[in-house]
Amino acid sequence: MLYFPYFRGRQYDLLALKKIAEQRILPRNIIPIIEPVRDIRALPQTVAAFVNHDQPLVIIANPTVSDYALTQQKLYDWQPWRDNPNLIVGHILTPTTVPSPSVAGHQTLLIGRQYDELLAAQHAGILTDSTYLLVPPEARIRQLLQRPTISLFDHAWLPEHDRSYADIEDGFFSNDWELADLNHYQGFSDYTIGGGYYSEHGYPARAVTLHLTYFAGEQLRIHRFVSDDRSDFKHPKEKFFQAVAKLAEWLPQQPASVQTPAAQELAAYHTQHHFPGLGVVKRLSLEHHLQTMAAYFKVHYPLN
């Protein structure tokens, strides 16, 4: 079983991945994907951390959700590591996608999000070259493709403007590994807790919400700790303390597997009464998710 957690290359996504690489906790069947969106120093630093610690990583060579691909002269490029065998070069299938020639000993990855594009690529004979093919988990796509694939699905819930995460504080997140077995996928991919929606500048929120995934039996669930104050867009520090107080009360009541180092670090801000900034909060939530998935895979899908 393979897991490809999908990240956009924002600052704190990359910092979370860099920390995880340095911890060396990911088994080799968990392979993060980075779609670069900004020309920032953290991108090559993160790639270097994975390569230097002998861990596989996917970089998307033709990102589609920002203007990063249009920047001709990159200040902080990942290309110096392109030939490293731990770096898997990926492409997003578009009408103009021209797959890179495969290099002996190097793995590649292709992402197809639309049935019509996959059908055209199938006719053109370009779906057989990539090592991994990520596609939506749709029956018609499974019927179309005559090769092993990875399912790609977005499990994150983004509330509409008149709702908040407080409406669903705890809920189901994923059991993609079971569906992968059932539908004969090689593995699965998702956008973790961040979701597939991308905005270049973000958006304001009335509440501060902390997201923690955790296993209840074989089911991955998500718990949301939401500030009580949701009346306006001000006072994020005070709202953070409201949310983290709920996390600090909830976490000690959970099994040891839920109390990851990242979750404990996050809860400690309650006793310290310290506001680290919402970027650090996001980083720790992502680290916790990867630590949780790594522990589950080591037990349920150990590598020989």
mmCIF file of all heavy atoms in Angstrom, residues 116-165:
data_model
loop_
_atom_site.group_PDB
_atom_site.id
_atom_site.type_symbol
_atom_site.label_atom_id
_atom_site.label_comp_id
_atom_site.label_asym_id
_atom_site.label_seq_id
_atom_site.Cartn_x
_atom_site.Cartn_y
_atom_site.Cartn_z
ATOM 1 N N ASP A 116 -11.993 13.073 -19.592
ATOM 2 C CA ASP A 116 -11.742 13.351 -21.008
ATOM 3 C C ASP A 116 -10.247 13.474 -21.294
ATOM 4 O O ASP A 116 -9.777 13.009 -22.347
ATOM 5 C CB ASP A 116 -12.461 14.630 -21.436
ATOM 6 C CG ASP A 116 -13.981 14.453 -21.451
ATOM 7 O OD1 ASP A 116 -14.436 13.287 -21.484
ATOM 8 O OD2 ASP A 116 -14.694 15.463 -21.431
ATOM 9 N N GLU A 117 -9.501 14.109 -20.387
ATOM 10 C CA GLU A 117 -8.054 14.231 -20.578
ATOM 11 C C GLU A 117 -7.381 12.861 -20.492
ATOM 12 O O GLU A 117 -6.449 12.573 -21.262
ATOM 13 C CB GLU A 117 -7.464 15.176 -19.531
ATOM 14 C CG GLU A 117 -7.848 16.632 -19.748
ATOM 15 C CD GLU A 117 -7.299 17.551 -18.673
ATOM 16 O OE1 GLU A 117 -6.779 17.032 -17.653
ATOM 17 O OE2 GLU A 117 -7.404 18.769 -18.842
ATOM 18 N N LEU A 118 -7.834 12.025 -19.582
ATOM 19 C CA LEU A 118 -7.279 10.680 -19.476
ATOM 20 C C LEU A 118 -7.602 9.848 -20.706
ATOM 21 O O LEU A 118 -6.760 9.079 -21.184
ATOM 22 C CB LEU A 118 -7.812 9.986 -18.212
ATOM 23 C CG LEU A 118 -7.223 10.484 -16.894
ATOM 24 C CD1 LEU A 118 -8.099 10.067 -15.721
ATOM 25 C CD2 LEU A 118 -5.798 9.967 -16.704
ATOM 26 N N LEU A 119 -8.805 10.021 -21.239
ATOM 27 C CA LEU A 119 -9.186 9.296 -22.452
ATOM 28 C C LEU A 119 -8.298 9.695 -23.621
ATOM 29 O O LEU A 119 -7.796 8.831 -24.366
ATOM 30 C CB LEU A 119 -10.656 9.576 -22.776
ATOM 31 C CG LEU A 119 -11.223 8.898 -24.030
ATOM 32 C CD1 LEU A 119 -11.158 7.374 -23.901
ATOM 33 C CD2 LEU A 119 -12.660 9.354 -24.277
ATOM 34 N N ALA A 120 -8.072 11.004 -23.787
ATOM 35 C CA ALA A 120 -7.211 11.477 -24.871
ATOM 36 C C ALA A 120 -5.775 10.995 -24.686
ATOM 37 O O ALA A 120 -5.112 10.581 -25.646
ATOM 38 C CB ALA A 120 -7.249 13.006 -24.943
ATOM 39 N N ALA A 121 -5.303 11.031 -23.429
ATOM 40 C CA ALA A 121 -3.937 10.568 -23.158
ATOM 41 C C ALA A 121 -3.806 9.076 -23.383
ATOM 42 O O ALA A 121 -2.757 8.591 -23.846
ATOM 43 C CB ALA A 121 -3.549 10.928 -21.725
ATOM 44 N N GLN A 122 -4.862 8.335 -23.077
ATOM 45 C CA GLN A 122 -4.867 6.899 -23.342
ATOM 46 C C GLN A 122 -4.718 6.625 -24.833
ATOM 47 O O GLN A 122 -3.912 5.782 -25.249
ATOM 48 C CB GLN A 122 -6.176 6.300 -22.821
ATOM 49 C CG GLN A 122 -6.356 4.824 -23.120
ATOM 50 C CD GLN A 122 -6.010 3.949 -21.936
ATOM 51 O OE1 GLN A 122 -4.973 4.149 -21.295
ATOM 52 N NE2 GLN A 122 -6.862 3.015 -21.635
ATOM 53 N N HIS A 123 -5.471 7.366 -25.639
ATOM 54 C CA HIS A 123 -5.393 7.183 -27.094
ATOM 55 C C HIS A 123 -4.021 7.584 -27.631
ATOM 56 O O HIS A 123 -3.535 7.018 -28.618
ATOM 57 C CB HIS A 123 -6.492 7.994 -27.778
ATOM 58 C CG HIS A 123 -7.862 7.425 -27.563
ATOM 59 N ND1 HIS A 123 -9.031 8.147 -27.707
ATOM 60 C CD2 HIS A 123 -8.263 6.183 -27.166
ATOM 61 C CE1 HIS A 123 -10.073 7.378 -27.446
ATOM 62 N NE2 HIS A 123 -9.626 6.181 -27.105
ATOM 63 N N ALA A 124 -3.415 8.585 -26.980
ATOM 64 C CA ALA A 124 -2.091 9.045 -27.421
ATOM 65 C C ALA A 124 -0.980 8.138 -26.921
ATOM 66 O O ALA A 124 0.181 8.290 -27.322
ATOM 67 C CB ALA A 124 -1.852 10.472 -26.948
ATOM 68 N N GLY A 125 -1.298 7.209 -26.049
ATOM 69 C CA GLY A 125 -0.311 6.250 -25.564
ATOM 70 C C GLY A 125 0.676 6.798 -24.570
ATOM 71 O O GLY A 125 1.797 6.282 -24.459
ATOM 72 N N ILE A 126 0.274 7.851 -23.803
ATOM 73 C CA ILE A 126 1.234 8.450 -22.872
ATOM 74 C C ILE A 126 0.953 8.078 -21.413
ATOM 75 O O ILE A 126 1.598 8.619 -20.507
ATOM 76 C CB ILE A 126 1.282 9.979 -23.015
ATOM 77 C CG1 ILE A 126 -0.068 10.592 -22.598
ATOM 78 C CG2 ILE A 126 1.659 10.387 -24.420
ATOM 79 C CD1 ILE A 126 -0.034 12.110 -22.566
ATOM 80 N N LEU A 127 0.026 7.158 -21.174
ATOM 81 C CA LEU A 127 -0.281 6.785 -19.798
ATOM 82 C C LEU A 127 0.518 5.581 -19.315
ATOM 83 O O LEU A 127 0.449 5.228 -18.141
ATOM 84 C CB LEU A 127 -1.784 6.477 -19.647
ATOM 85 C CG LEU A 127 -2.746 7.642 -19.864
ATOM 86 C CD1 LEU A 127 -4.172 7.203 -19.544
ATOM 87 C CD2 LEU A 127 -2.368 8.850 -19.022
ATOM 88 N N THR A 128 1.264 4.985 -20.185
ATOM 89 C CA THR A 128 1.987 3.770 -19.804
ATOM 90 C C THR A 128 3.405 4.049 -19.337
ATOM 91 O O THR A 128 4.054 3.169 -18.786
ATOM 92 C CB THR A 128 2.044 2.797 -20.998
ATOM 93 O OG1 THR A 128 2.680 3.450 -22.108
ATOM 94 C CG2 THR A 128 0.647 2.369 -21.406
ATOM 95 N N ASP A 129 3.893 5.289 -19.561
ATOM 96 C CA ASP A 129 5.300 5.568 -19.278
ATOM 97 C C ASP A 129 5.572 5.868 -17.806
ATOM 98 O O ASP A 129 6.677 5.619 -17.325
ATOM 99 C CB ASP A 129 5.786 6.751 -20.130
ATOM 100 C CG ASP A 129 5.769 6.428 -21.620
ATOM 101 O OD1 ASP A 129 5.879 5.230 -21.959
ATOM 102 O OD2 ASP A 129 5.634 7.363 -22.426
ATOM 103 N N SER A 130 4.603 6.459 -17.089
ATOM 104 C CA SER A 130 4.856 6.876 -15.718
ATOM 105 C C SER A 130 4.811 5.684 -14.759
ATOM 106 O O SER A 130 4.048 4.733 -14.955
ATOM 107 C CB SER A 130 3.829 7.927 -15.278
ATOM 108 O OG SER A 130 2.528 7.392 -15.340
ATOM 109 N N THR A 131 5.624 5.770 -13.718
ATOM 110 C CA THR A 131 5.646 4.720 -12.698
ATOM 111 C C THR A 131 4.337 4.713 -11.917
ATOM 112 O O THR A 131 3.777 3.649 -11.635
ATOM 113 C CB THR A 131 6.811 4.953 -11.724
ATOM 114 O OG1 THR A 131 8.013 5.191 -12.463
ATOM 115 C CG2 THR A 131 7.000 3.753 -10.812
ATOM 116 N N TYR A 132 3.853 5.908 -11.581
ATOM 117 C CA TYR A 132 2.622 6.045 -10.801
ATOM 118 C C TYR A 132 1.648 6.952 -11.553
ATOM 119 O O TYR A 132 2.049 7.978 -12.109
ATOM 120 C CB TYR A 132 2.904 6.658 -9.424
ATOM 121 C CG TYR A 132 3.950 5.913 -8.633
ATOM 122 C CD1 TYR A 132 5.210 6.456 -8.416
ATOM 123 C CD2 TYR A 132 3.684 4.654 -8.096
ATOM 124 C CE1 TYR A 132 6.175 5.785 -7.685
ATOM 125 C CE2 TYR A 132 4.648 3.971 -7.371
ATOM 126 C CZ TYR A 132 5.896 4.544 -7.169
ATOM 127 O OH TYR A 132 6.845 3.867 -6.457
ATOM 128 N N LEU A 133 0.379 6.573 -11.541
ATOM 129 C CA LEU A 133 -0.678 7.369 -12.162
ATOM 130 C C LEU A 133 -1.749 7.631 -11.115
ATOM 131 O O LEU A 133 -2.372 6.702 -10.603
ATOM 132 C CB LEU A 133 -1.272 6.635 -13.363
ATOM 133 C CG LEU A 133 -2.456 7.318 -14.059
ATOM 134 C CD1 LEU A 133 -2.054 8.691 -14.606
ATOM 135 C CD2 LEU A 133 -2.998 6.430 -15.181
ATOM 136 N N LEU A 134 -1.967 8.925 -10.785
ATOM 137 C CA LEU A 134 -2.959 9.321 -9.791
ATOM 138 C C LEU A 134 -4.215 9.797 -10.507
ATOM 139 O O LEU A 134 -4.141 10.667 -11.383
ATOM 140 C CB LEU A 134 -2.431 10.445 -8.899
ATOM 141 C CG LEU A 134 -1.588 10.021 -7.684
ATOM 142 C CD1 LEU A 134 -0.319 9.299 -8.116
ATOM 143 C CD2 LEU A 134 -1.250 11.222 -6.815
ATOM 144 N N VAL A 135 -5.364 9.241 -10.119
ATOM 145 C CA VAL A 135 -6.628 9.558 -10.783
ATOM 146 C C VAL A 135 -7.743 9.620 -9.749
ATOM 147 O O VAL A 135 -7.631 9.037 -8.662
ATOM 148 C CB VAL A 135 -6.981 8.501 -11.856
ATOM 149 C CG1 VAL A 135 -5.951 8.482 -12.965
ATOM 150 C CG2 VAL A 135 -7.123 7.116 -11.222
ATOM 151 N N PRO A 136 -8.853 10.311 -10.062
ATOM 152 C CA PRO A 136 -9.999 10.300 -9.149
ATOM 153 C C PRO A 136 -10.569 8.890 -9.021
ATOM 154 O O PRO A 136 -10.548 8.114 -9.990
ATOM 155 C CB PRO A 136 -11.010 11.240 -9.830
ATOM 156 C CG PRO A 136 -10.200 12.072 -10.763
ATOM 157 C CD PRO A 136 -9.079 11.200 -11.216
ATOM 158 N N PRO A 137 -11.108 8.539 -7.857
ATOM 159 C CA PRO A 137 -11.657 7.187 -7.656
ATOM 160 C C PRO A 137 -13.053 7.056 -8.268
ATOM 161 O O PRO A 137 -14.063 6.967 -7.550
ATOM 162 C CB PRO A 137 -11.679 7.045 -6.132
ATOM 163 C CG PRO A 137 -11.847 8.454 -5.640
ATOM 164 C CD PRO A 137 -11.102 9.328 -6.618
ATOM 165 N N GLU A 138 -13.123 7.052 -9.590
ATOM 166 C CA GLU A 138 -14.393 6.957 -10.311
ATOM 167 C C GLU A 138 -14.441 5.645 -11.084
ATOM 168 O O GLU A 138 -13.441 5.223 -11.675
ATOM 169 C CB GLU A 138 -14.549 8.127 -11.284
ATOM 170 C CG GLU A 138 -14.562 9.496 -10.608
ATOM 171 C CD GLU A 138 -14.621 10.626 -11.618
ATOM 172 O OE1 GLU A 138 -14.831 10.343 -12.824
ATOM 173 O OE2 GLU A 138 -14.457 11.790 -11.209
ATOM 174 N N ALA A 139 -15.631 5.034 -11.111
ATOM 175 C CA ALA A 139 -15.782 3.733 -11.766
ATOM 176 C C ALA A 139 -15.447 3.810 -13.248
ATOM 177 O O ALA A 139 -14.796 2.911 -13.793
ATOM 178 C CB ALA A 139 -17.208 3.220 -11.567
ATOM 179 N N ARG A 140 -15.866 4.878 -13.935
ATOM 180 C CA ARG A 140 -15.610 4.954 -15.379
ATOM 181 C C ARG A 140 -14.125 5.092 -15.680
ATOM 182 O O ARG A 140 -13.646 4.626 -16.716
ATOM 183 C CB ARG A 140 -16.393 6.109 -15.997
ATOM 184 C CG ARG A 140 -16.029 7.490 -15.466
ATOM 185 C CD ARG A 140 -16.784 8.565 -16.209
ATOM 186 N NE ARG A 140 -16.416 9.894 -15.725
ATOM 187 C CZ ARG A 140 -16.729 11.017 -16.369
ATOM 188 N NH1 ARG A 140 -17.415 10.969 -17.500
ATOM 189 N NH2 ARG A 140 -16.372 12.186 -15.872
ATOM 190 N N ILE A 141 -13.370 5.711 -14.761
ATOM 191 C CA ILE A 141 -11.923 5.825 -14.953
ATOM 192 C C ILE A 141 -11.260 4.476 -14.703
ATOM 193 O O ILE A 141 -10.345 4.081 -15.431
ATOM 194 C CB ILE A 141 -11.340 6.921 -14.046
ATOM 195 C CG1 ILE A 141 -11.809 8.303 -14.543
ATOM 196 C CG2 ILE A 141 -9.810 6.862 -14.025
ATOM 197 C CD1 ILE A 141 -11.340 9.458 -13.683
ATOM 198 N N ARG A 142 -11.738 3.748 -13.692
ATOM 199 C CA ARG A 142 -11.198 2.401 -13.464
ATOM 200 C C ARG A 142 -11.448 1.510 -14.671
ATOM 201 O O ARG A 142 -10.596 0.692 -15.040
ATOM 202 C CB ARG A 142 -11.829 1.785 -12.209
ATOM 203 C CG ARG A 142 -11.372 2.409 -10.913
ATOM 204 C CD ARG A 142 -11.708 1.531 -9.720
ATOM 205 N NE ARG A 142 -13.131 1.341 -9.548
ATOM 206 C CZ ARG A 142 -13.923 2.143 -8.839
ATOM 207 N NH1 ARG A 142 -13.407 3.212 -8.255
ATOM 208 N NH2 ARG A 142 -15.203 1.888 -8.715
ATOM 209 N N GLN A 143 -12.610 1.657 -15.296
ATOM 210 C CA GLN A 143 -12.923 0.848 -16.475
ATOM 211 C C GLN A 143 -12.087 1.251 -17.680
ATOM 212 O O GLN A 143 -11.760 0.426 -18.535
ATOM 213 C CB GLN A 143 -14.411 0.984 -16.802
ATOM 214 C CG GLN A 143 -15.322 0.377 -15.740
ATOM 215 C CD GLN A 143 -16.784 0.732 -15.941
ATOM 216 O OE1 GLN A 143 -17.139 1.432 -16.896
ATOM 217 N NE2 GLN A 143 -17.643 0.258 -15.048
ATOM 218 N N LEU A 144 -11.726 2.534 -17.747
ATOM 219 C CA LEU A 144 -10.945 3.034 -18.882
ATOM 220 C C LEU A 144 -9.501 2.551 -18.842
ATOM 221 O O LEU A 144 -8.941 2.147 -19.864
ATOM 222 C CB LEU A 144 -10.972 4.569 -18.882
ATOM 223 C CG LEU A 144 -10.023 5.282 -19.856
ATOM 224 C CD1 LEU A 144 -10.465 5.049 -21.300
ATOM 225 C CD2 LEU A 144 -9.959 6.775 -19.543
ATOM 226 N N LEU A 145 -8.904 2.571 -17.657
ATOM 227 C CA LEU A 145 -7.468 2.356 -17.539
ATOM 228 C C LEU A 145 -7.150 0.887 -17.294
ATOM 229 O O LEU A 145 -7.724 0.260 -16.420
ATOM 230 C CB LEU A 145 -6.905 3.213 -16.408
ATOM 231 C CG LEU A 145 -7.157 4.722 -16.548
ATOM 232 C CD1 LEU A 145 -6.641 5.463 -15.333
ATOM 233 C CD2 LEU A 145 -6.520 5.270 -17.821
ATOM 234 N N GLN A 146 -6.223 0.405 -18.032
ATOM 235 C CA GLN A 146 -5.798 -0.991 -17.914
ATOM 236 C C GLN A 146 -4.398 -1.060 -17.320
ATOM 237 O O GLN A 146 -3.522 -1.737 -17.844
ATOM 238 C CB GLN A 146 -5.840 -1.666 -19.294
ATOM 239 C CG GLN A 146 -7.191 -1.607 -19.971
ATOM 240 C CD GLN A 146 -8.278 -2.289 -19.154
ATOM 241 O OE1 GLN A 146 -8.078 -3.385 -18.638
ATOM 242 N NE2 GLN A 146 -9.434 -1.645 -19.038
ATOM 243 N N ARG A 147 -4.206 -0.329 -16.211
ATOM 244 C CA ARG A 147 -2.907 -0.337 -15.543
ATOM 245 C C ARG A 147 -3.126 0.011 -14.071
ATOM 246 O O ARG A 147 -4.160 0.579 -13.696
ATOM 247 C CB ARG A 147 -1.955 0.669 -16.195
ATOM 248 C CG ARG A 147 -2.460 2.107 -16.230
ATOM 249 C CD ARG A 147 -1.306 3.097 -16.254
ATOM 250 N NE ARG A 147 -0.548 3.034 -15.004
ATOM 251 C CZ ARG A 147 0.627 3.658 -14.827
ATOM 252 N NH1 ARG A 147 1.164 4.353 -15.809
ATOM 253 N NH2 ARG A 147 1.249 3.571 -13.670
ATOM 254 N N PRO A 148 -2.154 -0.307 -13.208
ATOM 255 C CA PRO A 148 -2.290 0.050 -11.791
ATOM 256 C C PRO A 148 -2.353 1.565 -11.613
ATOM 257 O O PRO A 148 -1.644 2.321 -12.294
ATOM 258 C CB PRO A 148 -1.017 -0.525 -11.160
ATOM 259 C CG PRO A 148 -0.555 -1.585 -12.107
ATOM 260 C CD PRO A 148 -0.932 -1.089 -13.467
ATOM 261 N N THR A 149 -3.203 2.016 -10.697
ATOM 262 C CA THR A 149 -3.356 3.442 -10.451
ATOM 263 C C THR A 149 -3.434 3.724 -8.950
ATOM 264 O O THR A 149 -3.610 2.828 -8.127
ATOM 265 C CB THR A 149 -4.628 3.995 -11.125
ATOM 266 O OG1 THR A 149 -5.761 3.238 -10.674
ATOM 267 C CG2 THR A 149 -4.541 3.906 -12.642
ATOM 268 N N ILE A 150 -3.306 5.017 -8.620
ATOM 269 C CA ILE A 150 -3.439 5.525 -7.256
ATOM 270 C C ILE A 150 -4.679 6.416 -7.225
ATOM 271 O O ILE A 150 -4.847 7.275 -8.095
ATOM 272 C CB ILE A 150 -2.203 6.367 -6.856
ATOM 273 C CG1 ILE A 150 -0.895 5.601 -7.097
ATOM 274 C CG2 ILE A 150 -2.323 6.858 -5.426
ATOM 275 C CD1 ILE A 150 -0.637 4.477 -6.164
ATOM 276 N N SER A 151 -5.544 6.242 -6.234
ATOM 277 C CA SER A 151 -6.732 7.095 -6.137
ATOM 278 C C SER A 151 -6.360 8.423 -5.485
ATOM 279 O O SER A 151 -5.618 8.470 -4.509
ATOM 280 C CB SER A 151 -7.835 6.407 -5.340
ATOM 281 O OG SER A 151 -7.480 6.298 -3.971
ATOM 282 N N LEU A 152 -6.893 9.515 -6.036
ATOM 283 C CA LEU A 152 -6.654 10.863 -5.506
ATOM 284 C C LEU A 152 -7.995 11.494 -5.163
ATOM 285 O O LEU A 152 -8.856 11.662 -6.040
ATOM 286 C CB LEU A 152 -5.923 11.727 -6.536
ATOM 287 C CG LEU A 152 -5.797 13.223 -6.201
ATOM 288 C CD1 LEU A 152 -5.018 13.435 -4.909
ATOM 289 C CD2 LEU A 152 -5.136 13.969 -7.360
ATOM 290 N N PHE A 153 -8.176 11.848 -3.876
ATOM 291 C CA PHE A 153 -9.456 12.390 -3.433
ATOM 292 C C PHE A 153 -9.217 13.467 -2.382
ATOM 293 O O PHE A 153 -8.272 13.384 -1.590
ATOM 294 C CB PHE A 153 -10.333 11.278 -2.847
ATOM 295 C CG PHE A 153 -11.758 11.690 -2.617
ATOM 296 C CD1 PHE A 153 -12.636 11.796 -3.679
ATOM 297 C CD2 PHE A 153 -12.210 11.977 -1.338
ATOM 298 C CE1 PHE A 153 -13.958 12.186 -3.469
ATOM 299 C CE2 PHE A 153 -13.525 12.353 -1.123
ATOM 300 C CZ PHE A 153 -14.402 12.462 -2.196
ATOM 301 N N ASP A 154 -10.075 14.480 -2.376
ATOM 302 C CA ASP A 154 -9.996 15.576 -1.404
ATOM 303 C C ASP A 154 -11.009 15.341 -0.295
ATOM 304 O O ASP A 154 -12.216 15.405 -0.517
ATOM 305 C CB ASP A 154 -10.274 16.898 -2.124
ATOM 306 C CG ASP A 154 -10.078 18.104 -1.212
ATOM 307 O OD1 ASP A 154 -9.656 17.908 -0.051
ATOM 308 O OD2 ASP A 154 -10.350 19.241 -1.658
ATOM 309 N N HIS A 155 -10.532 15.076 0.920
ATOM 310 C CA HIS A 155 -11.420 14.799 2.050
ATOM 311 C C HIS A 155 -11.702 16.027 2.906
ATOM 312 O O HIS A 155 -12.573 15.975 3.779
ATOM 313 C CB HIS A 155 -10.809 13.723 2.955
ATOM 314 C CG HIS A 155 -10.743 12.379 2.314
ATOM 315 N ND1 HIS A 155 -11.840 11.566 2.181
ATOM 316 C CD2 HIS A 155 -9.701 11.705 1.756
ATOM 317 C CE1 HIS A 155 -11.487 10.442 1.573
ATOM 318 N NE2 HIS A 155 -10.200 10.501 1.308
ATOM 319 N N ALA A 156 -10.958 17.101 2.697
ATOM 320 C CA ALA A 156 -11.107 18.264 3.569
ATOM 321 C C ALA A 156 -12.438 18.971 3.301
ATOM 322 O O ALA A 156 -12.887 19.071 2.154
ATOM 323 C CB ALA A 156 -9.954 19.230 3.356
ATOM 324 N N TRP A 157 -13.049 19.453 4.381
ATOM 325 C CA TRP A 157 -14.312 20.176 4.284
ATOM 326 C C TRP A 157 -14.057 21.648 4.533
ATOM 327 O O TRP A 157 -13.506 22.036 5.562
ATOM 328 C CB TRP A 157 -15.309 19.632 5.313
ATOM 329 C CG TRP A 157 -16.586 20.434 5.373
ATOM 330 C CD1 TRP A 157 -17.434 20.717 4.354
ATOM 331 C CD2 TRP A 157 -17.144 21.059 6.548
ATOM 332 N NE1 TRP A 157 -18.489 21.469 4.805
ATOM 333 C CE2 TRP A 157 -18.346 21.691 6.143
ATOM 334 C CE3 TRP A 157 -16.757 21.129 7.882
ATOM 335 C CZ2 TRP A 157 -19.153 22.404 7.040
ATOM 336 C CZ3 TRP A 157 -17.561 21.823 8.778
ATOM 337 C CH2 TRP A 157 -18.736 22.447 8.353
ATOM 338 N N LEU A 158 -14.447 22.481 3.569
ATOM 339 C CA LEU A 158 -14.317 23.925 3.710
ATOM 340 C C LEU A 158 -15.722 24.498 3.912
ATOM 341 O O LEU A 158 -16.550 24.460 2.999
ATOM 342 C CB LEU A 158 -13.683 24.533 2.457
ATOM 343 C CG LEU A 158 -13.357 26.019 2.506
ATOM 344 C CD1 LEU A 158 -12.275 26.276 3.552
ATOM 345 C CD2 LEU A 158 -12.901 26.522 1.142
ATOM 346 N N PRO A 159 -16.032 25.019 5.099
ATOM 347 C CA PRO A 159 -17.394 25.494 5.360
ATOM 348 C C PRO A 159 -17.790 26.637 4.427
ATOM 349 O O PRO A 159 -16.940 27.441 4.014
ATOM 350 C CB PRO A 159 -17.325 25.985 6.811
ATOM 351 C CG PRO A 159 -16.121 25.358 7.390
ATOM 352 C CD PRO A 159 -15.157 25.181 6.263
ATOM 353 N N GLU A 160 -19.064 26.686 4.086
ATOM 354 C CA GLU A 160 -19.578 27.819 3.332
ATOM 355 C C GLU A 160 -19.627 29.041 4.242
ATOM 356 O O GLU A 160 -19.479 28.943 5.461
ATOM 357 C CB GLU A 160 -20.970 27.481 2.789
ATOM 358 C CG GLU A 160 -20.956 26.285 1.840
ATOM 359 C CD GLU A 160 -22.352 25.873 1.411
ATOM 360 O OE1 GLU A 160 -23.326 26.486 1.908
ATOM 361 O OE2 GLU A 160 -22.469 24.940 0.600
ATOM 362 N N HIS A 161 -19.862 30.200 3.642
ATOM 363 C CA HIS A 161 -19.695 31.465 4.368
ATOM 364 C C HIS A 161 -20.615 31.593 5.576
ATOM 365 O O HIS A 161 -20.303 32.311 6.524
ATOM 366 C CB HIS A 161 -19.931 32.645 3.425
ATOM 367 C CG HIS A 161 -21.323 32.714 2.865
ATOM 368 N ND1 HIS A 161 -22.360 33.348 3.505
ATOM 369 C CD2 HIS A 161 -21.847 32.203 1.724
ATOM 370 C CE1 HIS A 161 -23.462 33.245 2.792
ATOM 371 N NE2 HIS A 161 -23.185 32.552 1.700
ATOM 372 N N ASP A 162 -21.752 30.915 5.573
ATOM 373 C CA ASP A 162 -22.684 31.045 6.689
ATOM 374 C C ASP A 162 -22.558 29.893 7.694
ATOM 375 O O ASP A 162 -23.399 29.738 8.571
ATOM 376 C CB ASP A 162 -24.123 31.126 6.175
ATOM 377 C CG ASP A 162 -24.516 29.906 5.339
ATOM 378 O OD1 ASP A 162 -23.597 29.200 4.887
ATOM 379 O OD2 ASP A 162 -25.716 29.676 5.153
ATOM 380 N N ARG A 163 -21.502 29.094 7.574
ATOM 381 C CA ARG A 163 -21.280 27.996 8.500
ATOM 382 C C ARG A 163 -19.863 28.094 9.054
ATOM 383 O O ARG A 163 -19.045 28.904 8.602
ATOM 384 C CB ARG A 163 -21.484 26.648 7.805
ATOM 385 C CG ARG A 163 -22.866 26.449 7.210
ATOM 386 C CD ARG A 163 -23.051 25.034 6.717
ATOM 387 N NE ARG A 163 -23.051 24.085 7.816
ATOM 388 C CZ ARG A 163 -23.078 22.764 7.640
ATOM 389 N NH1 ARG A 163 -23.072 22.255 6.422
ATOM 390 N NH2 ARG A 163 -23.091 21.950 8.685
ATOM 391 N N SER A 164 -19.550 27.251 10.035
ATOM 392 C CA SER A 164 -18.202 27.215 10.593
ATOM 393 C C SER A 164 -17.857 25.781 10.956
ATOM 394 O O SER A 164 -18.718 24.902 10.987
ATOM 395 C CB SER A 164 -18.097 28.121 11.828
ATOM 396 O OG SER A 164 -18.598 27.466 12.973
ATOM 397 N N TYR A 165 -16.582 25.554 11.269
ATOM 398 C CA TYR A 165 -16.151 24.224 11.679
ATOM 399 C C TYR A 165 -16.814 23.790 12.983
ATOM 400 O O TYR A 165 -16.838 22.608 13.308
ATOM 401 C CB TYR A 165 -14.633 24.195 11.836
ATOM 402 C CG TYR A 165 -13.890 24.214 10.519
ATOM 403 C CD1 TYR A 165 -13.083 25.288 10.168
ATOM 404 C CD2 TYR A 165 -13.986 23.147 9.635
ATOM 405 C CE1 TYR A 165 -12.383 25.301 8.966
ATOM 406 C CE2 TYR A 165 -13.303 23.150 8.428
ATOM 407 C CZ TYR A 165 -12.506 24.236 8.105
ATOM 408 O OH TYR A 165 -11.830 24.241 6.910
#
